[in-house]
Amino acid sequence: MTSARGRRERLLWGAGSVLVVCYALVPVAWLLSLSLKRGADLGDHRFLPAVVSLEHYRAVFQDPQFAAALWNSVGIAGLSTLAALLPGLLAAYAIVRLEFPGRRLLLAATLAIAMFPPVSIVGPLFDLWRSLGLYDTWPGLILPYMTFTLPLAIWTLSAFLRDIPWELEKAARVDGATPMQALLRIILPLAAPGVFSAAILVFLFAWNDFLFAISLTSTDNARTVPAAIAFFTGSSRFEQPTGSIAAASVVVTLPVVLVVLLFQRRIVAGLTAGAVKG
Amino acid sequence: MAAIELREVSRQFGATRAVDCVNLSIDDGEFFILVGPSGCGKSTLLNMIVGLETLSSGEILVDGERVDELDPRDRDMAMVFQSYAIYPHMSVRENLAFPLRLARLPAADIDERVLRAARMLELEALLERRPAALSGGQRQRVAMGRALVREPRVFLLDEPLSNLDARLRVQMRAQIARLQRRLGTTTVYVTHDQTEAMTLGQRIAVMRRGKLVQTGTPQQLYARPADLFVAGFIGSPAMNFLPSRLAGERLELPVGSLALPERLRGAAAGAAGPLVAGFRPEDLRLAASGETTGLCFDARADIVEWLGADLFVYFDVALDGFGPLELPADLDIQTGDATRRSLVARIDPDAGVKAGDRFRLCLDPQRLHLFAGGRAIGDPAGLQR
């Protein structure tokens, strides 16, 4: 009886897992398949490409616009991550460690900012950036990305910092460390999983953003991949750029997947094991 | 080497005074214990000495120089935390070397000092291990090692043994005492365990509700407690307390009356508030047949605890005609109610008293402690011990 029940349970679990995985992965597989089809086969109603061809990838990489956009994306997302994490870490540290008036208010306000709909500030920002000369520049995108991801970074980091025993820092201070040394040599290594997860979240936000990218850029100067993809044209005016878009999408998805897979171990690893008793 | 002096040190947290006007001087090389129930302010006081907590008022001097404004790193003190606070991302060797690295010692010096400390604490075989792979006792030794590797002026230990099991605690207690004697470094040790305090300390300060209640050697605290709290806190099992009242030159207790010794007479007559009589379990002894010296009374053994060398007999005493006894609540002595109290006597195990037996006990008046309004009264010098 137990084995029959066990088998049925396993079956249900298996079926459920397959369902979820399909739901998540079929669109991705479809995208991949589209990017590998020949231009003429795009409308052939087949799931797998009849002939695997790399012509869209070739076309995408030959396009100077895309190369520029890729560079913009990497640079802007990377710098936004740094720009959000540094103040985020210090702010989270202060919120967790220091008793100061308005601490709760600050956390609440941070959350409120995260809930602010970006679309409502994009218009004014457009005007502001144009008169400040930030329109279509890297800082013009990094600033809003940093602003909108900072709350996320602060919340994630403060959750991780809160779990680090405070006595470790006290011990470091008694051992002769300055507050900065204690933060850099004791707290930061222990908070590494938190820093990595916050970094991934911020990076993804900047990497995937379409709204700011499309509104605040106009040339290859600062246009990121999601915005650039929207400006793709087919090789002739009668051809939809579906294949190129699919290929470009695969190219921008890949690094994200890689980053997450790479850092996952660090996130999962429990670094604080053995700090205090038990 | 350092002598520590605390002058009217206070710490206020909101409306509560965690530490209230503490005056204390700790001699160079002394093993000094701060003991008290949890929440009495002893850890706060320790944190103020090491610089992790600021003073609301008062000053702290080491060798005559003020240190209370200094950063912890400039005070040259090392601390062992209750939770050990070992850095989990470093090996034992790196943990021990950390304070030395911060002090920018040459690498060869660091290696040598780490090895010396590791040898002293039998950690040599564990140097490359991570804290996660260590047992509780080993972690405790790493924490000790990190403190002594710096050869600081002062050691501060905050309940370092409270996370160990009983057997290990006794072992480590002896090891800490041996280490301290060998190094001769001034040591302040915080504990809530009176046994630890009595066995380790050269001098003990008892704290309660942020205040220093009494300071002295273990013998002084045991023999001449200044008030009800110290009397009940120091010693195990705790001192017996009974309500009492004065009748001429005699003191009446629920178990009978006795002639007040000379040293208590004057003070008892002038005392304000109800009198409380206290006597330790070993101050009661089985009466020889027909004995009448002192105060002798009959009792019925309620519970008998045989510990090999000792026999503790618990018995009830009715408080007929006496008011209920009020003891400090934080003593956690709950023996009896408004009408009865449970007392304990330490007697010769060979006497063969069993639970339920009737037996006769005598109390030597010279051993009696008398308290009025919570304070010990009378001339303490006359107490026989």
Side-chain angles (χ1 to χ4, degrees):
Chain A
M1 195 192 93
T2 337
S3 78
R5 223 176 106 186
R7 212 176 303 140
R8 209 173 61 212
E9 208 166 272
R10 262 208 306 279
L11 203 74
L12 276 173
W13 272 109
S17 307
V18 167
L19 206 72
V20 170
V21 169
C22 281
Y23 177 77
L25 286 187
V26 163
V28 180
W30 185 244
L31 196 70
L32 196 68
S33 155
L34 272 181
S35 74
L36 292 171
K37 284 178 178 176
R38 286 179 305 186
D41 295 346
L42 280 173
D44 64 358
H45 304 292
R46 292 165 61 121
F47 187 70
L48 294 174
V51 178
V52 173
S53 134
L54 293 176
E55 62 175 81
H56 298 304
Y57 288 94
R58 227 170 283 135
V60 158
F61 277 107
Q62 268 160 13
D63 186 350
Q65 263 192 56
F66 184 73
L70 205 56
W71 169 239
N72 286 337
S73 266
V74 170
I76 290 173
L79 287 179
S80 302
T81 309
L82 275 183
L85 279 192
L86 270 178
L89 183 69
L90 297 179
Y93 182 76
I95 286 169
V96 170
R97 289 292 191 248
L98 306 178
E99 279 293 340
F100 56 89
R103 195 170 63 135
R104 286 171 167 273
L105 192 74
L106 189 75
L107 260 182
T110 323
L111 196 64
I113 288 172
M115 290 173 175
F116 212 76
V119 75
S120 64
I121 66 154
V122 122
L125 213 54
F126 176 79
D127 286 335
L128 196 63
W129 268 200
R130 276 171 56 107
S131 46
L132 288 176
L134 285 171
Y135 182 73
D136 200 26
T137 61
W138 278 24
L141 279 185
I142 291 174
L143 274 174
Y145 289 165
M146 181 187 115
T147 313
F148 271 92
T149 52
L150 204 50
L152 195 72
I154 292 175
W155 274 80
T156 317
L157 287 171
S158 58
F160 272 87
L161 287 179
R162 203 166 284 135
D163 284 344
I164 296 176
W166 197 353
E167 288 207 329
L168 288 179
E169 195 192 331
K170 290 186 181 172
R173 297 280 286 124
V174 175
D175 279 346
T178 60
M180 206 44 162
Q181 278 174 323
L183 175 66
L184 293 181
R185 301 182 66 162
I186 303 297
I187 302 302
L188 204 56
L190 294 174
V195 174
F196 282 124
S197 23
I200 288 173
L201 291 172
V202 173
F203 186 85
L204 286 185
F205 178 90
W207 186 262
N208 291 335
D209 172 73
F210 180 71
L211 181 68
F212 290 111
I214 200 82
S215 318
L216 301 178
T217 64
S218 60
T219 66
D220 289 349
N221 220 359
R223 190 181 281 154
T224 59
V225 175
I229 288 176
F231 285 96
F232 274 1
T233 49
S235 40
S236 76
R237 78 167 74 172
F238 306 107
E239 199 188 328
Q240 285 287 326
T242 315
S244 310
I245 290 178
S249 302
V250 171
V251 171
V252 291
T253 312
L254 230 58
V256 175
V257 174
L258 277 182
V259 164
V260 172
L261 287 183
L262 217 69
F263 286 147
Q264 198 177 11
R265 295 200 156 186
R266 309 249 22 195
I267 298 168
V268 175
L271 272 177
T272 49
V276 294
K277 58 124 184 173
Chain B
M1 299 298 99
I4 306 171
E5 199 179 339
L6 277 65
R7 286 186 191 155
E8 302 185 353
V9 170
S10 295
R11 178 72 173 119
Q12 192 98 21
F13 289 116
T16 52
R17 286 217 129 182
V19 172
D20 194 359
C21 201
V22 167
N23 285 294
L24 194 61
S25 56
I26 300 165
D27 296 337
D28 180 23
E30 191 173 25
F31 199 136
F32 193 87
I33 307 265
L34 282 172
V35 68
S38 55
C40 70
K42 56 195 190 299
S43 286
T44 308
L45 193 61
L46 197 71
N47 281 333
M48 289 197 289
I49 296 176
V50 78
L52 292 171
E53 198 81 69
T54 53
L55 279 68
S56 299
S57 65
E59 45 189 58
I60 298 176
L61 294 93
V62 174
D63 284 341
E65 281 170 43
R66 273 190 76 164
V67 299
D68 49 88
E69 299 281 312
L70 293 180
D71 193 83
R73 59 203 293 259
D74 300 322
R75 296 194 191 193
D76 196 15
M77 300 177 178
M79 182 155 167
V80 176
F81 291 82
Q82 184 175 8
S83 67
Y84 314 145
I86 309 170
Y87 311 126
H89 56 302
M90 299 182 184
S91 67
V92 171
R93 182 190 296 279
E94 289 165 332
N95 261 286
L96 295 183
F98 184 72
L100 304 177
R101 288 244 169 79
L102 289 173
R104 295 181 190 283
L105 257 62
D109 269 16
I110 295 181
D111 286 350
E112 193 206 309
R113 284 220 214 168
V114 167
L115 260 181
R116 207 186 317 151
R119 216 169 286 144
M120 219 183 282
L121 291 159
E122 294 162 38
L123 286 169
E124 285 165 287
L126 307 172
L127 277 176
E128 307 311 325
R129 293 241 200 125
R130 289 287 172 112
L134 300 177
S135 70
Q138 291 166 338
R139 283 181 204 176
Q140 210 279 330
R141 297 212 301 270
V142 175
M144 292 282 300
R146 201 177 59 198
L148 60 85
V149 76
R150 273 170 59 201
E151 298 167 16
R153 290 196 291 181
V154 177
F155 283 133
L156 303 165
L157 297 96
D158 190 0
E159 310 222 6
L161 305 181
S162 59
N163 286 330
L164 301 177
D165 62 56
R167 181 181 290 266
L168 209 52
R169 200 177 309 159
V170 174
Q171 271 176 26
M172 278 310 296
R173 202 163 73 196
Q175 196 171 359
I176 289 178
R178 225 174 294 135
L179 266 175
Q180 201 274 341
R181 215 172 312 130
R182 190 166 143 197
L183 298 169
T185 309
T186 312
T187 303
V188 184
Y189 185 109
V190 161
T191 180
H192 66 268
D193 179 355
Q194 64 90 22
T195 318
E196 237 169 76
M198 297 291 276
T199 49
L200 277 174
Q202 291 169 358
R203 270 197 313 148
I204 301 174
V206 182
M207 281 188 80
R208 182 185 179 220
R209 295 183 187 156
K211 283 197 167 79
L212 217 56
V213 187
Q214 192 178 2
T215 309
T217 64
Q219 292 77 13
Q220 285 167 348
L221 294 190
Y222 190 81
R224 295 193 285 275
D227 65 4
L228 266 178
F229 179 77
V230 177
F233 188 74
I234 300 287
S236 172
M239 185 184 277
N240 296 306
F241 296 110
L242 281 176
S244 56
R245 62 184 166 230
L246 210 57
E249 297 223 321
R250 294 184 73 79
L251 186 74
E252 288 184 339
L253 287 97
V255 289
S257 72
L258 53 76
L260 263 183
E262 190 73 46
R263 67 187 163 87
L264 291 173
R265 239 171 252 162
L275 292 172
V276 174
F279 44 95
R280 300 220 176 257
E282 64 268 28
D283 295 339
L284 291 168
R285 58 194 159 70
L286 278 178
S289 53
E291 181 176 352
T292 49
T293 50
L295 168 60
C296 295
F297 56 95
D298 288 316
R300 197 177 138 272
D302 186 17
I303 298 169
V304 174
E305 286 178 357
W306 181 76
L307 299 173
D310 289 318
L311 186 73
F312 292 112
V313 184
Y314 293 82
F315 56 95
D316 273 4
V317 171
L319 302 186
D320 302 331
F322 286 85
L325 187 61
E326 295 205 1
L327 293 176
D330 43 357
L331 269 182
D332 264 340
I333 299 183
Q334 288 159 344
T335 42
D337 49 38
T339 58
R340 314 188 63 75
R341 282 201 65 79
S342 173
L343 303 187
V344 55
R346 195 187 106 185
I347 57 174
D348 184 359
D350 296 333
V353 174
K354 290 184 291 295
D357 284 1
R358 299 209 132 268
F359 56 102
R360 194 166 170 77
L361 287 168
C362 288
L363 169 67
D364 181 351
Q366 289 308 328
R367 301 268 181 114
L368 190 75
H369 299 262
L370 206 51
F371 304 89
R375 307 284 311 166
I377 57 170
D379 177 14
L383 253 175
Q384 281 184 15
R385 170 69 35 209

